[in-house]
Amino acid sequence: MTERGHAPGLPAAEADAPRARRLELLLGLLVAAYLGLLAAHPGLFFDLGITHYGHWFIDTYALLASNDAAARGLDPYAPNPLDYFGRPHVYSHWWLLLRHLGLTRSATPWVGGVLVGAFLLVALRLLRPRTPGQLLWSAAVLGAPPVVLAIERANNDLAIFLLLAPLPACLLSRRRAAWWGGLGLVAVATALKYYPAAAALPLVLEGGPGTFRRRAAAAALVVGAALLSVAGNLASFGRLNPAPDGFLTFGAPLVFNYFGATGAWVAIAGAALGASVAAACFLARWPRVWTSPPAAARDHLRLVVGALLLTACFFSTRNYSYRFIFGLWLAPALWSRLHDAGTPADLRRLARLTAGLLLCVLWLDALACLGLNSGARGVAAPTLLRWAARTLALEQPCFWAFFCCLLAWLVHYVRTRAAALLREPA
């Protein structure tokens, strides 16, 4: 007898490979059609809550305009007359090395196109749907407005996504050079955008107890050096850095800002609340320690890295929602945990809750904008702004619930790895 639907003599995974390739191709076609529709009808961006300024890849343009300003001897950290909107450079000086590659503003279309194209190819390969249900789930995540915002602007977070995409494979490799390669990727990403320093945690915890101290020391030294190399840039652009606000933004400080609280203590309060949630999960020993099967290890590590990046951003500052591109790293593992009978019940419940909240945080702002826009006829602007502010405030519990779920996943990962390190002989 043969397993239903599989060719005689072929393993299930190999027999399902052509179907999986068809579903992956179908997802690519759906995304291409979706983006093509937006390109043909730019007014649809407004319905999603995205302001399309009549130019594609404006964030790539801003980066290249900063390089042009530096090449002309102008201060790139001052308002830039070469940019569409006069934006100063708000990233580390590492990005200003692009001018030495001969890249100028005129290269924006192909630089942005290559960046977006590479991101989509990696995202499609990462999501790799295997069932029609997973296809719909993947399309809902990949087509979400925050992801579209990153694509429409060709934001440089796409470059961080591509840089860190090989990290799980580096961590799971038995070759020492692969680990050092992963550390190098984290260090470069940290020097470019700061927050990827959070991805150093699995570099320390993956591996045996005999290498724990050496890995911890190497990660602290290399990632610390990357942070020190760009520490001066924070003072340069801090006062000019735009403060994300309104729809398609997220961050723990926002909930305090909506009630009129401002100042440095707001970020401290948000971080303290996050630490309290993590401590509560740790003390309650929930979820239980469980090691994912080897076949799912890479997806689970992607979930961990994605959760680390997103929580680091959420609990430290306010962010534009294009940073939710790292939510793509959560999607395959959440789907697997939901549909794997071997996963403990508490983790399956956590996966179900996290998956539902992921869709909420990805789509709530777009639905709110659609509702407000459809009901805006004849409504005075101050009234509409008041409605928007109330809507944003009502959304915050959903965002907090989602990030508390991510903290639970991270606590689970730390406890599981700590238990493994204690069990293994040095």
Side-chain angles (χ1 to χ4, degrees), residues 279-323:
C281 291
F282 191 86
L283 293 174
R285 297 186 178 182
W286 181 87
R288 73 185 68 180
V289 170
W290 177 77
T291 302
S292 60
R298 188 171 297 186
D299 281 345
H300 190 73
L301 268 177
R302 284 199 185 98
L303 182 149
V304 169
V305 176
L308 280 167
L309 297 177
L310 287 172
T311 52
C313 293
F314 178 80
F315 286 107
S316 61
T317 186
R318 293 151 59 175
N319 310 266
Y320 290 109
S321 64
Y322 44 64
R323 208 150 280 173

Side-chain angles (χ1 to χ4, degrees), residues 155-420:
N155 184 265
N156 55 359
D157 274 341
L158 298 178
I160 305 302
F161 183 99
L162 294 172
L163 263 176
L164 295 181
L167 183 59
C170 293
L171 292 171
L172 294 174
S173 174
R174 294 180 179 272
R175 297 180 179 178
R176 183 178 299 178
W179 185 88
W180 283 101
L183 178 58
L185 292 174
V186 172
V188 172
T190 298
L192 293 174
K193 289 295 288 273
Y194 312 102
Y195 68 84
L201 180 63
L203 285 166
V204 176
L205 295 181
E206 293 294 326
T211 61
F212 176 79
R213 292 181 181 178
R214 292 196 298 274
R215 290 187 176 200
L221 181 64
V222 174
V223 176
L227 285 171
L228 285 175
S229 75
V230 293
N233 298 140
L234 286 170
S236 299
F237 68 73
R239 60 187 179 84
L240 294 173
N241 199 21
D245 196 11
F247 291 110
L248 292 180
T249 62
F250 71 95
L254 283 172
V255 72
F256 299 99
N257 299 152
Y258 290 140
F259 292 101
T262 57
W265 76 269
V266 168
I268 297 173
L273 282 173
S276 300
V277 172
C281 291
F282 191 86
L283 293 174
R285 297 186 178 182
W286 181 87
R288 73 185 68 180
V289 170
W290 177 77
T291 302
S292 60
R298 188 171 297 186
D299 281 345
H300 190 73
L301 268 177
R302 284 199 185 98
L303 182 149
V304 169
V305 176
L308 280 167
L309 297 177
L310 287 172
T311 52
C313 293
F314 178 80
F315 286 107
S316 61
T317 186
R318 293 151 59 175
N319 310 266
Y320 290 109
S321 64
Y322 44 64
R323 208 150 280 173
F324 272 121
I325 57 174
F326 298 107
L328 294 172
W329 289 352
L330 312 178
L334 291 176
W335 184 268
S336 297
R337 299 286 70 77
L338 272 171
H339 297 86
D340 178 19
T343 302
D346 55 349
L347 274 180
R348 293 185 70 181
R349 286 192 293 270
L350 179 59
R352 186 178 299 109
L353 181 59
T354 309
L357 289 170
L358 175 61
L359 289 182
C360 287
V361 298
L362 289 176
W363 284 94
L364 266 181
D365 280 349
L367 295 175
C369 288
L370 188 61
L372 289 170
N373 291 335
S374 62
R377 295 176 183 176
V379 178
T383 302
L384 191 61
L385 290 173
R386 189 162 57 250
W387 289 356
R390 289 174 179 173
T391 302
L392 287 165
L394 290 172
E395 289 179 359
Q396 295 313 301
C398 183
F399 279 82
W400 274 84
F402 172 70
F403 282 97
C404 285
C405 286
L406 294 191
L407 285 174
W409 283 107
L410 293 177
V411 169
H412 167 264
Y413 171 73
V414 171
R415 290 180 60 240
T416 301
R417 287 304 308 150

Side-chain angles (χ1 to χ4, degrees), residues 56-58 60-62 64-65 84 104-113 154:
W56 283 81
F57 308 153
I58 60 173
T60 292
Y61 187 91
L64 296 179
Y84 291 130
T104 65
R105 287 165 293 164
S106 62
T108 298
W110 74 262
V111 172

Side-chain angles (χ1 to χ4, degrees), residues 23-119:
L23 287 172
E24 191 173 331
L25 177 61
L26 180 56
L27 177 61
L29 292 174
L30 285 173
V31 171
Y34 175 53
L35 295 175
L37 180 65
L38 290 170
H41 303 281
L44 294 175
F45 282 113
F46 185 73
D47 294 329
L48 295 176
I50 298 171
T51 302
H52 183 66
Y53 294 97
H55 300 280
W56 283 81
F57 308 153
I58 60 173
D59 286 354
T60 292
Y61 187 91
L63 274 176
L64 296 179
S66 295
N67 279 269
D68 286 350
R72 294 186 184 188
L74 303 175
D75 180 8
Y77 291 98
N80 187 358
L82 304 180
D83 179 54
Y84 291 130
F85 310 105
R87 291 170 291 180
H89 185 64
V90 292
Y91 306 109
S92 77
H93 64 274
W94 283 45
W95 291 100
L96 299 176
L97 299 177
L98 291 173
R99 68 186 188 276
H100 299 303
L101 301 177
L103 298 176
T104 65
R105 287 165 293 164
S106 62
T108 298
W110 74 262
V111 172
V114 167
L115 186 60
V116 168
F119 164 74

